[in-house]
Amino acid sequence: MSRPKTYEDEALLRAAMQAFRERGYAGTSIKDLEQATGLRSGSLYHGYRDKQGLFNDALAHCNDTVVGGRIGQYLAPGAGLA
């Protein structure tokens, strides 16, 4: 039986995205992600499989919250293509 998660996904994804923004994907190591998120590498691998998986989830979270929010702020309802 696995232990329950002791972290909040949204905060973790925000911290990971910030690390990727500062260093770029290639320049961000697992150690950097450990420092940014406060989690050990085992927890990161367990939750996201690898660095690419964490990056994909962090990018999707950024798109949903930041980009989606900005688009919604300026795009009137029904103004998009059918």
Side-chain angles (χ1 to χ4, degrees), residues 1 4 15 19 22 30 46-47 62 64 69 74 77 82:
M1 178 177 212
E22 291 172 1
I30 291 297
H46 182 264
C62 181
D64 291 343
Y74 297 107

Side-chain angles (χ1 to χ4, degrees), residues 1 12-14 19 28 33 36 38-40 44 52-55 61-62 64 69-70 72 76 81-82:
M1 178 177 212
L12 179 131
L13 294 173
R14 264 195 321 267
T28 304
L33 293 169
L39 293 180
R40 310 289 299 275
L44 293 173
Q52 183 69 49
L54 178 54
F55 178 80
H61 176 72
C62 181
D64 291 343
R70 289 182 182 164
L81 298 173

Side-chain angles (χ1 to χ4, degrees), residues 8 21 29 36 40 64-65 74 78:
E8 182 185 335
R21 278 189 198 128
S29 68
R40 310 289 299 275
D64 291 343
T65 58
Y74 297 107

Side-chain angles (χ1 to χ4, degrees), residues 2-78:
S2 64
R3 293 185 297 181
K5 287 192 316 186
T6 59
Y7 58 88
E8 182 185 335
D9 285 330
E10 186 170 337
L12 179 131
L13 294 173
R14 264 195 321 267
M17 197 70 241
Q18 186 61 37
F20 287 123
R21 278 189 198 128
E22 291 172 1
R23 297 172 187 87
Y25 177 81
T28 304
S29 68
I30 291 297
K31 287 285 182 199
D32 294 329
L33 293 169
E34 285 181 319
Q35 287 181 323
T37 63
L39 293 180
R40 310 289 299 275
S41 61
S43 295
L44 293 173
Y45 285 119
H46 182 264
Y48 298 96
R49 202 182 77 218
D50 56 15
K51 184 172 105 171
Q52 183 69 49
L54 178 54
F55 178 80
N56 291 343
D57 285 1
L59 183 61
H61 176 72
C62 181
N63 284 338
D64 291 343
T65 58
V66 177
V67 177
R70 289 182 182 164
I71 289 172
Q73 186 177 17
Y74 297 107
L75 184 65

